[in-house]
């Protein structure tokens, strides 16, 4: 095909204008791109008078397809619908079509190709139509000859998005003219074809815009329909919404899974998990759940071939029996919490591609394609690609489905709460009443066990109390040793099994081991339960339909079984009933142990009598040793008392002794003066006056009463100390009698007063007494005073030792050494509480554990015997039936807690 500039007259101009006019009218009249292209190739072929005009469209993989064609009387074969490989049009030619918008004219006869660019390579400006000829590749010549073409004209068709001004044009396709004979192309024809290509580009842009608009409208309509179904009250139409979504995506199936309620909505083709995956619902499989846990909020996952995805490598087995291949997964979230998943499926299909000649897979054929015989390529397992508009629709549906599911769950929760509120109140009331009955029965059984040591009576009481509470037909206790029923309680006319023996083969050793491990067996239906045939027949012979068995374990062995029978019908045993029977089994263990202990005690009593004579001597020696220990400690305490009394008595005795001689002299002088007064009365003699003056009579008269008063105070002091010593030791009161313990505490403090006072190295000890209103207590007063003496003396020793350790630290501020004594009576007026505490250094846990051990002391050698607290503990616990405890921590002082009964029990050793 050659180029000519010669005009062909007015007719060509009219034809040109007519062609463009028809093209423009067709674009305005129709929005169907295929119809426009079909009309275009027909009009262009008539305009050019050539054998074939076609529109060639490029695909994303580089290959191309003839989508519109017009042929003149079948002079050339039809290529409509046929594909050509990507290598048929080299990449550099495509770039020139796109960058320069060039047109190419091939003259096969002369072996030349004419290039007509629209832009100058040097300046980039638009050029007037001009053609540059050069020799064409022989391969291309042979290619065209094989097609029967002698001349061709190719004009590129570009596509540019009108909505994006900055978007670069893309090479959409080619407008191609083929002629079976050599032919010249005029500048006017080239210009007209370029104008036609520009009009086709406009039609393509309009078609794309129309398609996008329709897609958007369909998307919005789909969202509106789905939203209406999802927010329809009172019931959300999830099934209908799912079907609507599947239809909108052109899917063949889909499913909606809700995590909280484990609900599954399905429609269309569905996957089926094989049995070896241990689950019937794919969304509940661990691999699927782990996958969903990794998905972030708002992420949409889509694939055209699920068999190629690593996430679905295991789960793909579920899709083997279906035609499903394409999959889009929409994880649903509520505030980042996974609440469900929406999945849409697309089935696979086969595609048939019509190639213009057999297409080889090599990069480029070394020889030109000589045959364009139609070749059909079959592709199986194909699936439609998920387009951006599909992903956009999925993102919009994500929000609506998530919100609808959350609203549905909230609505169901409120509805369930409202519907079940009264039922829950009734159930709780019933459970409370039942629990009170259970508690009452347990209390009755416990009290019965405490009242009697007769095992048979106690076990009979257990079955008698529990049968009506369980509302069962029979309750019994089976003893394993005798393999028989020892007690039972029956309701109705059911046969008695008292004394019945269980066949040995029906109770193997394996049962014993399981019951020892705490096995509780609840058989709701004997006919269907997993029992040995022997056991089942034995129960059926007793007319048992359901049974509840609780073991009675004592020590390392199974003593027996507590069993409830239901004979009328099968029964579902409740957890509360099982728990009650277990607790009664524990009470039976206590009763059996008490009975066994009682029996052992009776058996041991005879043996004890035989050993009494031998133990009597040993007991006598132990009593003597104990007495000596108590006496030794008491003497130690009395030694402290004597030292204190001596210290207290010394000053008043010296005071009295020092003033007695003066009192004697004063008395003699007064007597002498009185005698003189008698001789010389009423008028004193000068000698009397001199004597009065010599003895300072006025002073003597004034001082003598004071001396007598001082002597009286000293005498009273001596009497008080002596009385305190007598009251403390209680040597004349060895028997148990009612005393005022406040008096004993005060006397102890009086005796220890010299140790409480301050001196040069010791600031003294403050005693805080917090006495309550307590009655007189029946006790051994002397021994109780000994306890007070031991505890208070130890407190003083501890405070003095701490004071010595603190003196080494200069300028340190320490609290005043304090001993606090508190007395209270219990709420039921039966016991007296005495608390004696100090703010000393306290003691460690190791020391506290051993303070009541005989001969254990923390004092230096020679300062203590280690018997004081041991004897005090014996006096409180053994002599008075009380409690003595020590509460102490390092750095927090020490407190002794003494609790004794106001009236001692009869078991106290007097």
């Amino acid at each position: 095909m050659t180029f000519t500039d010669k005009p062909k007259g007015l007719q060509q101009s009219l034809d040109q204008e007519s062609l463009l006019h028809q093209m423009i009218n067709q674009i305005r009249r129709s929005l169907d791109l295929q119809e426009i292209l079909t009309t275009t190739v027909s009009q262009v072929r008539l305009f050019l008078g050539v054998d074939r005009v076609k529109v060639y469209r490029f695909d994303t993989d580089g290959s191309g397809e003839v989508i519109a064609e017009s042929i003149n009387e079948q002079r050339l074969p039809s290529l409509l619908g046929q594909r050509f490989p990507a290598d048929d049009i080299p990449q550099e030619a495509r770039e020139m079509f796109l960058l320069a918008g060039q047109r190419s004219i091939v003259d096969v006869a002369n072996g030349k190709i004419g290039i007509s660019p629209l832009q100058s390579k040097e300046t980039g400006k638009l050029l007037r139509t001009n053609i540059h000829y050069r020799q064409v590749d022989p391969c291309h010549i042979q290619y065209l000859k094989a097609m029967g073409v002698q001349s061709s004209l190719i004009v590129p068709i570009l596509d540019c998005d009108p909505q994006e001004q900055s978007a670069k044009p893309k090479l959409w396709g080619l407008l191609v003219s083929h002629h079976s004979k050599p032919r010249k192309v005029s500048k006017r024809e080239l210009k007209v074809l370029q104008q036609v290509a520009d009009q086709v580009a406009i039609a393509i842009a309009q078609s794309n815009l129309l398609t996008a608009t329709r897609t958007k409208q369909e998307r919005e309509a789909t969202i509106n329909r789905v939203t209406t179904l999802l927010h329809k009250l009172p019931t959300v139409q999830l099934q209908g919404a799912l079907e609507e979504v599947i239809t909108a995506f052109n899917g063949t199936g889909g499913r909606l899974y809700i995590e909280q309620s484990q609900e599954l909505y399905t429609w269309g083709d569905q996957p089926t998990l094989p049995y070896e995956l241990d689950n019937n619902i794919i969304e509940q499989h661990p691999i699927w759940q782990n996958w969903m846990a990794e998905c972030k909020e708002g992420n949409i996952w889509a694939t055209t071939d699920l068999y190629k995805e690593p996430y679905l490598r295991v789960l793909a087995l579920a899709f083997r029996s279906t035609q499903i291949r394409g999959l889009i997964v929409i994880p649903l979230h509520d505030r980042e919490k996974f609440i469900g998943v929406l999945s849409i499926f697309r089935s696979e299909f086969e595609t048939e591609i019509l190639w213009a000649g057999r297409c080889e897979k090599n990069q480029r054929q070394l020889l030109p394609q000589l045959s364009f015989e139609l070749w059909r390529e079959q592709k199986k397992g194909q699936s439609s690609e998920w387009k951006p508009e599909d992903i956009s629709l999925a993102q919009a549906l994500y929000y609506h489905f998530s919100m609808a599911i959350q609203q549905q769950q909230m609505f169901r929760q409120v509805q369930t709460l409202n519907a079940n509120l009264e039922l829950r109140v009734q159930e709780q009331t019933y459970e409370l009443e039942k629990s009170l009955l259970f508690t009452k029965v347990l209390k009755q059984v416990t009290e019965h066990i405490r009242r009697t040591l007769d095992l048979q009576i106690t076990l009979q009481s257990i079955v008698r109390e529990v049968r009506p509470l369980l509302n069962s037909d029979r309750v019994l206790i089976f003893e394993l040793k005798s393999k028989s029923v020892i007690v039972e309680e029956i309701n109705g006319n059911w046969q008695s099994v008292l004394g019945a023996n269980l066949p040995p083969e029906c109770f193997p050793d394996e049962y014993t081991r399981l019951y020892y491990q705490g096995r509780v067996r609840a058989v709701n239906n004997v006919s269907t339960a997993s029992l040995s045939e022997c056991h089942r027949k034995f129960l059926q012979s007793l007319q048992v339909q359901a049974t509840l068995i609780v073991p009675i374990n004592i020590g390392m062995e199974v003593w027996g079984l507590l069993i409830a029978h239901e004979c009328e019908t099968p029964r579902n045993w409740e957890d509360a009933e099982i728990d009650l029977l277990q607790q009664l089994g524990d009470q039976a263990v206590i009763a059996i142990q008490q009975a066994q202990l009682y029996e052992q005690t009776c058996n041991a009593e005879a043996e004890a009598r035989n050993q009494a004579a031998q133990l009597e001597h040993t007991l006598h020696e132990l009593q003597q040793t104990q007495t000596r220990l108590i006496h030794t400690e008491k003497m130690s305490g009395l030694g402290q008392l004597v030292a204190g009394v001596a210290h207290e008595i010394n000053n008043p005795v010296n005071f009295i002794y020092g003033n007695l001689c003066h009192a004697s002299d004063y008395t003699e002088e007064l007597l002498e003066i009185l005698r003189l007064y008698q001789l010389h009365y009423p008028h004193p003699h000068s000698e009397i006056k001199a004597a009065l003056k010599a003895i300072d009579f006025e002073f003597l008269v004034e001082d003598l009463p004071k001396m007598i008063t001082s002597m009286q105070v000293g005498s009273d002091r001596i009497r008080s100390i002596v009385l305190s010593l007598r009251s403390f030791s209680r040597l004349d009161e060895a028997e148990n009698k009612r005393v005022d313990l406040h008096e004993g505490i005060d006397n102890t403090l009086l005796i220890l007063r010299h140790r409480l006072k301050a001196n040069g190295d010791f600031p003294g000890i403050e005693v805080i007494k917090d006495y309550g209103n307590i009655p007189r207590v029946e006790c051994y007063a002397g021994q109780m005073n000994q306890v007070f003496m031991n505890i208070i003396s130890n407190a003083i020793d501890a405070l003095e030792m701490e004071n010595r350790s603190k003196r080494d630290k200069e300028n340190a501020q320490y609290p005043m050494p304090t001993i606090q004594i508190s007395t209270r009576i219990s709420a039921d007026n039966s016991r007296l509480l005495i608390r004696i505490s100090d703010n000393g250094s306290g003691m460690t846990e190791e020391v506290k554990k051993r303070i009541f051990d005989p001969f254990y002391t923390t004092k230096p050698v020679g300062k203590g015997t280690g018997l004081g607290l041991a004897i005090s503990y014996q006096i409180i616990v053994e002599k008075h039936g009380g409690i003595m405890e020590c509460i102490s921590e390092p750095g927090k002082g020490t407190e002794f807690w003494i609790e004794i009964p106001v009236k001692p029990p009869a078991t106290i050793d007097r």
Side-chain angles (χ1 to χ4, degrees):
M1 181 177 290
T2 58
F3 175 77
T4 178
D5 291 331
K6 296 180 180 181
K8 295 183 177 180
L10 182 60
Q11 184 63 38
Q12 283 189 337
S13 297
L14 294 175
D15 292 341
Q16 174 184 347
E17 294 297 333
S18 175
L19 176 62
L20 293 177
H21 181 71
Q22 290 177 4
M23 285 284 300
I24 295 173
N25 288 339
Q26 183 67 28
I27 292 173
R28 291 177 179 176
R29 186 170 58 250
S30 173
L31 294 176
D32 187 286
L33 180 61
Q34 187 61 43
E35 182 180 349
I36 295 173
L37 295 178
T38 302
T39 302
T40 299
V41 295
S42 177
Q43 295 295 331
V44 170
R45 189 190 63 76
L46 292 175
F47 172 74
L48 295 176
V50 294
D51 295 330
R52 177 169 56 207
V53 175
K54 66 180 181 180
V55 174
Y56 181 87
R57 183 181 64 189
F58 290 104
D59 286 340
T60 55
D61 61 353
S63 64
E65 180 184 3
V66 177
I67 62 172
E69 181 185 56
S70 178
I71 301 176
N72 180 25
E73 298 179 354
Q74 304 298 322
R75 292 182 180 180
L76 290 176
S78 175
L79 301 177
L80 185 63
Q82 297 185 24
R83 285 182 176 271
F84 293 80
D87 296 329
D88 278 9
I89 300 177
Q91 183 63 31
E92 57 270 17
R94 301 185 193 197
E95 292 177 357
M96 293 302 298
F97 280 136
L98 178 62
L99 297 177
Q102 71 177 16
R103 288 75 55 90
S104 63
I105 305 168
V106 180
D107 187 348
V108 176
N110 297 323
K112 292 184 179 181
I113 182 171
I115 305 300
S116 175
L118 294 181
Q119 295 178 346
S120 171
K121 292 184 178 179
E122 291 78 11
T123 64
K125 295 182 179 180
L126 294 176
L127 298 174
R128 292 185 178 182
T129 302
N130 192 14
I131 300 176
H132 304 282
Y133 287 95
R134 63 173 175 79
Q135 291 296 321
V136 69
D137 188 347
C139 181
H140 194 185
I141 295 296
Q142 294 183 25
Y143 184 88
L144 292 175
K145 286 181 177 180
M147 296 178 67
V149 177
Q150 290 295 318
S151 64
S152 70
L153 171 62
I154 302 174
V155 179
I157 302 174
L158 304 182
D159 176 27
C160 185
D161 190 351
Q163 295 181 346
E164 298 184 11
Q165 297 180 359
S166 62
K168 295 181 179 181
K170 296 182 295 184
L171 182 61
W172 184 88
L174 302 173
L175 179 60
V176 183
S177 168
H178 283 166
H179 198 58
S180 59
K181 296 179 180 180
R183 184 182 184 280
K184 294 183 179 180
V185 178
S186 66
K187 289 184 178 181
R188 181 176 289 106
E189 289 175 338
L190 191 61
K191 181 178 180 181
V192 170
L193 256 65
Q194 183 62 52
Q195 292 175 344
V196 169
D198 293 340
Q199 293 298 321
V200 170
I202 294 173
I204 293 171
Q206 289 181 348
S207 176
N208 292 339
L209 184 61
L210 175 63
T211 301
T213 303
R214 288 177 176 175
T215 301
K216 183 178 180 181
Q217 290 176 347
E218 291 176 0
R219 173 175 170 270
E220 292 177 352
T222 299
I223 294 174
N224 290 335
R225 291 193 299 271
V226 172
T227 303
T228 302
L229 293 171
L230 289 178
H231 299 284
K232 187 176 182 180
L233 295 177
T235 303
V236 177
Q237 302 296 322
L238 292 177
Q239 182 66 40
L242 174 64
E243 296 176 7
E244 188 69 37
V245 169
I246 295 172
T247 303
F249 279 99
N250 295 321
T252 58
R255 51 203 288 138
L256 172 64
Y257 176 76
I258 301 176
E259 177 71 15
Q260 181 177 359
S261 61
Q262 296 186 349
E263 295 178 80
L264 179 64
Y265 298 89
T266 62
W267 188 76
D269 295 340
Q270 297 297 318
T272 303
L273 285 171
Y275 66 91
E276 58 265 19
L277 294 184
D278 299 329
N279 207 321
N280 293 327
I281 300 179
I282 193 172
E283 288 82 1
Q284 294 178 355
H285 194 276
I287 293 180
W288 183 283
Q289 291 183 344
N290 293 336
W291 179 31
M292 290 297 101
E294 296 176 2
C295 291
K296 296 183 179 179
E297 184 177 0
N299 283 1
I300 308 299
W301 186 89
T303 180
T304 57
D305 192 346
L306 60 89
Y307 297 104
K308 296 180 180 180
E309 298 298 330
Y311 280 111
L312 302 176
R313 186 169 54 253
V314 175
L315 299 178
L317 296 174
F319 296 87
R320 290 292 184 188
S321 60
T322 70
Q323 296 295 315
I324 299 173
R325 185 168 291 268
L327 172 64
I328 185 170
V329 178
I330 309 173
L332 306 176
H333 296 82
D334 176 51
R335 300 177 183 178
E336 299 184 357
K337 178 184 177 183
F338 177 73
I339 60 174
V341 59
L342 174 63
S343 306
I344 308 298
F345 310 134
R346 282 180 178 173
S347 293
E348 65 181 10
F349 54 84
E350 296 183 3
T351 59
E352 183 181 74
I353 302 176
L354 301 178
W355 290 98
R358 186 173 182 84
C359 180
E360 300 294 340
K361 298 298 182 181
N362 55 338
Q363 293 183 353
R364 172 131 188 209
Q365 298 173 354
L366 298 178
L367 297 176
Q369 187 169 337
L370 301 178
S371 173
F372 291 89
E373 183 180 354
L374 185 64
W375 177 65
R376 300 177 184 272
E377 181 184 10
Q378 301 286 337
K379 287 189 177 181
K380 298 182 179 181
Q382 301 297 303
S383 177
S384 300
E385 181 182 0
W386 299 102
K387 298 180 181 179
E389 51 265 28
D390 294 330
I391 305 300
S392 176
L393 175 60
Q395 290 175 340
L397 295 173
Y398 159 81
Y399 169 76
H400 292 288
F401 270 91
S402 297
M403 184 172 62
I405 292 173
Q406 183 64 16
Q407 290 177 347
Q408 182 193 49
Q409 291 176 352
M410 293 179 62
F411 178 75
R412 287 182 176 177
Q413 290 175 359
V414 173
Q415 196 175 33
T416 302
L417 287 174
N418 292 336
N420 296 337
L421 182 58
E422 184 177 357
L423 179 61
R424 288 176 59 188
V425 170
Q426 293 175 354
E427 290 177 351
Q428 290 179 358
T429 303
Y430 171 74
E431 292 296 331
L432 183 59
E433 293 175 351
K434 196 170 186 178
S435 176
L436 291 175
L437 289 175
F438 288 175
T439 304
K440 182 179 179 181
V441 169
L442 287 174
K443 182 179 179 182
Q444 291 174 353
V445 171
T446 303
E447 291 178 350
H448 191 84
I449 291 174
R450 292 177 179 176
R451 286 197 305 268
T452 180
L453 294 174
D454 190 308
L455 179 60
Q456 190 71 16
I457 295 176
T458 302
L459 297 181
Q460 187 65 51
S461 175
I462 291 175
V463 298
R464 183 176 61 250
E465 295 291 345
V466 74
R467 194 217 57 75
L469 196 59
L470 293 180
N471 193 25
S472 59
D473 297 322
R474 184 192 296 121
V475 175
L476 56 90
I477 294 179
F478 175 81
E479 185 181 17
L480 192 61
K481 182 178 180 181
S482 62
K483 292 287 194 302
S484 63
V485 178
I486 57 175
V487 292
E488 71 170 352
E489 180 72 15
I490 301 175
N491 178 40
N493 297 323
W494 308 105
Q495 70 180 71
S496 173
V497 297
L498 189 62
N501 295 321
L502 178 67
E505 61 274 12
C506 293
F507 200 90
D509 294 338
E510 179 66 17
Y511 281 20
T512 304
R513 185 181 65 81
L514 293 175
Y515 283 128
Y516 171 70
Q517 294 175 354
R519 175 194 191 187
V520 175
R521 190 161 196 184
V523 179
N524 298 329
N525 191 334
V526 171
S527 301
T528 60
S530 177
L531 300 171
S532 66
E533 193 61 30
C534 174
H535 195 181
R536 190 191 317 278
K537 289 182 178 179
F538 177 74
L539 292 176
Q540 290 175 346
S541 68
L542 302 180
Q543 301 173 300
V544 177
Q545 297 281 351
T547 180
L548 177 60
I549 306 173
V550 171
I552 302 174
N553 296 328
I554 299 179
M556 302 296 292
E557 64 178 5
V558 181
W559 183 89
L561 303 173
L562 178 57
I563 305 173
H565 285 164
E566 189 71 21
C567 301
E568 184 71 30
T569 58
R571 172 175 178 174
N572 291 326
W573 301 100
E574 299 179 2
D575 292 340
E577 296 170 340
I578 297 174
D579 183 62
L580 171 66
L581 210 61
Q582 283 182 304
Q583 295 185 52
L584 290 173
D586 296 338
Q587 295 299 323
V589 170
I590 297 173
I592 294 169
Q593 288 176 332
Q594 286 184 351
Q596 290 177 346
L597 289 174
Y598 178 70
E599 182 179 358
Q600 293 172 3
T601 303
C602 293
N603 294 335
E605 184 178 358
E607 184 180 354
R609 292 193 185 97
N610 297 331
Q611 298 176 354
Q614 299 176 5
L615 294 176
E616 184 176 1
H617 179 69
T618 304
L619 179 60
H620 180 68
E621 290 182 351
L622 290 175
Q623 288 176 343
Q624 286 183 342
T625 302
Q626 182 183 29
T627 303
R628 283 196 299 271
L629 289 174
I630 294 175
H631 179 71
T632 300
E633 180 60 25
K634 189 169 184 179
M635 289 303 100
S636 176
L638 288 176
Q640 295 180 13
L641 294 180
V642 171
V645 170
H647 182 77
E648 291 294 332
I649 291 177
N650 185 47
N651 286 338
V653 168
N654 288 338
F655 184 86
I656 295 172
Y657 180 79
N659 285 285
L660 282 177
C661 60
H662 297 293
S664 178
D665 293 340
Y666 293 162
T667 303
E668 290 180 0
E669 291 174 357
L670 287 174
L671 291 175
E672 181 63 22
I673 290 174
L674 289 176
R675 186 179 65 80
L676 292 176
Y677 266 108
Q678 288 177 353
L679 293 176
H680 303 286
Y681 188 83
H683 299 288
H685 190 266
S686 59
E687 186 177 356
I688 296 174
K689 291 181 179 181
L692 292 173
K693 185 177 180 180
I695 65 174
D696 196 357
F697 180 75
E698 294 179 357
F699 173 76
L700 187 149
V701 172
E702 182 182 357
D703 191 51
L704 182 58
K706 295 180 180 179
M707 290 176 59
I708 299 302
T709 302
S710 297
M711 294 170 67
Q712 185 65 36
V713 171
S715 300
D716 291 342
R717 178 65 175 167
I718 293 172
R719 180 176 176 274
S720 176
I721 293 174
V722 172
L723 288 176
S724 297
L725 179 59
R726 178 178 177 275
S727 175
F728 173 79
S729 61
R730 297 283 183 172
L731 297 177
D732 57 343
E733 298 178 2
E735 294 298 325
N736 195 22
K737 62 187 297 184
R738 289 190 176 275
V739 296
D740 183 1
L741 290 184
H742 287 168
E743 181 181 348
I745 297 173
D746 291 338
N747 289 333
T748 304
L749 292 174
L750 180 60
I751 294 170
L752 295 174
R753 182 178 179 183
H754 68 287
R755 296 193 62 190
L756 301 172
K757 291 182 178 179
N759 53 45
D761 296 330
F762 186 60
I765 298 175
E766 179 183 3
V767 178
I768 301 175
K769 294 188 286 186
D770 181 17
Y771 289 167
N773 185 16
I774 64 174
R776 288 180 172 271
V777 180
E778 187 174 343
C779 63
Y780 295 96
Q783 294 181 8
M784 289 300 300
N785 289 340
Q786 189 176 359
V787 173
F788 299 149
M789 173 63 72
N790 290 334
I791 295 176
I792 297 176
S793 295
N794 285 341
I796 295 174
D797 291 340
L799 293 173
E800 288 179 344
M801 291 175 64
E802 184 178 10
N803 179 71
R804 284 194 294 271
S805 65
K806 290 178 179 177
R807 279 186 297 174
D808 298 334
K809 301 178 182 178
E810 297 181 357
N811 301 324
Q813 298 294 328
Y814 298 102
M816 179 71 179
T818 304
I819 296 177
Q820 187 168 357
I821 304 173
S822 171
T823 60
R824 292 289 186 274
I825 189 71
S826 64
D828 58 357
N829 297 324
S830 63
R831 303 181 71 82
L832 177 66
L833 172 64
I834 304 169
R835 299 167 61 185
I836 302 175
S837 61
D838 63 68
N839 61 347
S841 59
M843 62 184 75
T844 63
E845 188 67 25
E846 292 75 13
V847 173
K848 189 173 69 172
K849 290 179 179 179
R850 298 189 59 192
I851 58 173
F852 296 128
D853 295 345
F855 305 107
Y856 177 77
T857 180
T858 59
K859 299 178 183 178
V861 178
K863 295 294 184 179
T865 63
L867 295 174
L869 291 179
I871 293 176
S872 299
Y873 185 86
Q874 184 181 17
I875 291 172
I876 296 299
V877 177
E878 298 181 9
K879 285 289 186 180
H880 293 84
I883 299 173
M884 184 174 181
E885 295 182 358
C886 176
I887 304 171
S888 181
E889 293 183 23
K892 295 186 179 181
T894 302
E895 178 179 335
F896 282 91
W897 179 294
I898 300 172
E899 186 177 336
I900 60 174
V902 175
K903 184 176 181 180
T907 56
I908 290 182
D909 182 12
R910 297 182 184 272

